[in-house]
């Protein structure tokens, strides 16, 4: 089972844990979580604070060896994975179908849905959250396919009636730093400098603040991050060109302790977030994701979802160790209860 790309190999204590004779099922016994993660994801997620707490709670993280058939490994109670590629997709889907007793987080087909920015936000468009103390939508957007000549982008934008400035994002989200790059286009003509395939979104002034809403099963955690500042009409009339930005919502841009205008910093209403998270869990078929949300500047209750990410950087989420270990234990315990009642 050799796969392309950078992967996490079994090593040290974690690999040795997999050789211990644990029974799968977790009912009153050790819980075994197999993981197949990139080296980068392993480093950010499997921090000593998480693995130490997990051991104290009876949870063992075991690296999946990608050079061996998956069914020959384990037994596992839960499988965590975030690897790309059709080969891995086929392997984990086959394993999921043949081993229903194992909880696979999450179905590869559902994860794939979030790898395309055209499809990822469609489920938000279809929601009706008007009875939850606020409105949630997505910015107007336009998909520019790979086949399009960049010189035609200004025409496509004008035809769609989109307003400048526009945020440009790569169409495909493949986990690379490049797939999270943003470009801000101030004028129509500079759009031809962009490289398809990409998604163009109308820029919504949002007070320079982004809400990262982490979902771990039924748990919701909100973290504020600094974002792109508001753009005035005066600035728009004076500035031209396309400007590149690195990933906006990085750890260093935390706004949780900043002295912010309350009208900007106030969290979205809890009932709104709970319904949004519940509906998206159901529609996406995922339990581990985060939502990037902004509030339209000058409003109290108008919100836009601008991105949804699978298995995000939970290591940046406060108290993630307790939240995640409780989630894993609840998953296994609920499965045990079902076994006992059937």
């Amino acid at each position: 089972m050799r796969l392309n790309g950078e992967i996490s190999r079994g090593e040290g204590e974690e690999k040795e844990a997999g050789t211990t004779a644990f029974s799968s099922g977790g009912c009153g016994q050790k819980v075994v979580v197999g993981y197949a993660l990139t080296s980068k994801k392993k480093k950010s997620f499997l921090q000593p604070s998480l693995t130490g707490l997990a051991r104290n709670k009876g949870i063992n993280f075991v690296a999946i060896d990608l050079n061996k058939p998956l069914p020959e490994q384990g037994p596992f109670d839960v499988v965590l994975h975030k690897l790309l590629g059709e080969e891995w997709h086929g392997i984990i889907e086959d394993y999921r179908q043949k081993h229903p007793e194992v909880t696979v987080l999450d179905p590869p087909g559902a994860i794939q849905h979030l790898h395309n920015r055209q499809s990822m936000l469609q489920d938000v468009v279809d929601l009706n959250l008007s009875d939850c103390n606020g409105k949630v939508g997505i910015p107007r957007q336009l998909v520019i396919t790979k086949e399009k000549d960049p010189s035609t982008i200004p025409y496509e934008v004008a035809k769609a009636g989109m307003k400048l400035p526009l945020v440009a994002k790569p169409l495909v989200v493949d986990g690379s730093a490049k797939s999270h790059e943003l470009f801000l286009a101030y004028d129509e003509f500079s759009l031809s400098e962009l490289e398809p395939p990409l998604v163009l979104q109308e820029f919504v002034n949002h007070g320079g603040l982004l809400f990262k809403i982490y979902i771990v099963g039924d748990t919701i955690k909100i973290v504020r991050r600094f974002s792109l500042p508001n753009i005035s009409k005066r600035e728009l009339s004076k500035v031209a060109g396309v400007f590149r930005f690195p990933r906006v919502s990085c750890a260093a841009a935390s706004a949780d302790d900043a002295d912010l205008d309350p009208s900007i910093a106030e969290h979205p209403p809890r009932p709104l977030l709970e319904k949004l998270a519940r509906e998206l869990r159901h529609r996406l078929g995922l339990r581990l994701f985060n939502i990037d949300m902004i509030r339209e500047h000058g409003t109290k209750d108008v919100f836009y979802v601008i991105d949804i990410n699978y298995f995000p950087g939970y290591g940046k989420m406060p108290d993630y160790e307790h939240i995640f270990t409780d989630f894993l234990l609840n998953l296994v315990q609920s499965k045990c209860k079902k076994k006992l009642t059937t």
Side-chain angles (χ1 to χ4, degrees):
M1 192 166 66
R2 184 182 296 276
L3 301 177
N4 292 328
E6 191 181 22
I7 57 176
S8 172
R9 302 284 183 191
E11 56 193 37
E13 183 178 12
E14 286 161 340
K15 185 159 186 178
E16 289 171 11
T19 63
T20 308
F22 294 128
S23 300
S24 184
C27 301
Q29 304 165 27
K30 295 285 186 181
V31 174
V32 183
V33 180
Y35 65 88
L37 306 172
T38 63
S39 296
K40 182 181 176 183
K41 178 59 69 175
K42 179 189 169 185
K43 184 177 179 180
S44 68
F45 177 69
L46 289 175
Q47 297 178 27
S49 57
L50 173 68
T51 55
L53 179 65
R55 275 195 297 273
N56 291 339
K57 291 185 174 184
I59 302 169
N60 287 271
F61 286 101
V62 180
I64 290 171
D65 189 339
L66 300 183
N67 295 309
K68 296 179 181 177
L70 184 54
E72 294 178 9
Q73 301 181 64
F76 302 120
D77 298 299
V78 178
V79 169
L80 278 174
H81 68 104
K82 192 176 183 182
L83 295 177
L84 297 174
E86 288 300 317
E87 185 182 356
W88 173 254
H89 184 132
I91 289 167
I92 197 67
E93 181 59 34
D94 182 65
Y95 180 82
R96 195 172 77 90
Q97 296 295 334
K98 292 177 179 176
H99 295 271
E101 76 282 0
V102 179
T103 301
V104 175
L105 295 171
D106 274 307
I111 296 170
Q112 192 70 26
H113 188 69
L114 295 188
H115 287 166
N116 184 300
R117 286 196 164 95
Q118 182 176 13
S119 61
M120 74 159 60
L121 299 181
Q122 186 56 47
D123 290 291
V124 179
V125 176
D126 296 337
L127 295 180
N128 179 11
L129 305 173
S130 57
D131 60 341
C132 293
N133 305 340
K135 299 174 183 177
V136 179
I138 67 170
R140 287 190 66 193
Q141 65 178 34
L142 176 67
V143 174
I144 306 296
T145 59
K146 192 174 184 179
E147 298 74 32
K148 291 283 183 182
D149 184 331
S151 66
T152 67
I153 297 177
Y155 168 74
E156 297 289 341
V157 167
K159 188 171 72 170
M162 295 184 73
K163 297 176 183 175
L164 294 160
L166 296 175
V167 178
K169 305 176 182 181
L171 178 62
V172 177
V173 183
D174 60 8
S176 67
K178 189 174 181 180
S179 71
H180 290 284
E181 280 184 350
L182 299 181
F183 295 87
L184 193 59
Y186 280 84
D187 69 285
E188 225 171 89
F189 302 104
S190 62
L191 291 168
S192 57
E193 297 173 22
L194 298 170
E195 184 182 342
L198 51 87
V199 171
L200 298 174
Q201 288 181 344
E202 285 188 347
F203 180 80
V204 177
N205 280 337
H206 53 282
L209 195 72
L210 172 80
F211 299 100
K212 290 196 81 71
I213 301 156
Y214 292 94
I215 311 295
V216 183
D218 295 331
T219 301
I220 302 169
K221 192 88 171 177
I222 309 165
V223 176
R224 288 184 295 235
R225 297 268 186 254
F226 286 117
S227 180
L228 301 179
N230 288 348
I231 298 171
S232 66
K233 288 183 180 178
R234 186 167 176 269
E235 181 185 354
L236 189 58
S237 67
K238 288 188 171 186
V239 181
V242 171
F243 297 87
R244 175 185 168 275
F245 293 88
R247 191 168 186 166
V248 172
S249 55
C250 61
S254 175
D256 277 335
D257 298 322
D259 185 16
L260 298 168
D261 182 337
S263 65
I264 294 172
E266 183 183 358
H267 283 177
R270 193 75 191 182
L272 185 75
L273 293 183
E274 287 175 352
K275 186 165 184 182
L276 175 64
R278 185 168 61 248
E279 288 287 338
L280 286 180
R281 274 197 306 268
H282 173 70
R283 289 169 181 260
L284 297 173
L286 299 171
R287 283 172 279 198
L288 301 175
F289 60 98
N290 88 288
I291 304 161
D292 287 350
M293 178 186 280
I294 57 175
R295 174 193 282 112
E296 185 173 358
H297 188 61
T299 74
K300 183 178 175 63
D301 61 356
V302 179
F303 299 93
Y304 292 90
V305 173
I306 57 174
D307 251 329
I308 304 175
N309 304 290
Y310 180 68
F311 203 148
Y314 285 118
K316 302 170 190 173
M317 180 179 78
D319 204 31
Y320 93 103
E321 302 92 343
H322 289 273
I323 291 170
F324 216 94
T325 49
D326 286 347
F327 165 67
L328 292 172
L329 290 175
N330 287 336
L331 273 182
V332 175
Q333 286 165 6
S334 62
K335 208 151 203 174
C336 287
K337 288 177 183 176
K338 285 181 183 177
K339 281 183 187 177
L340 294 173
T341 55
T342 54

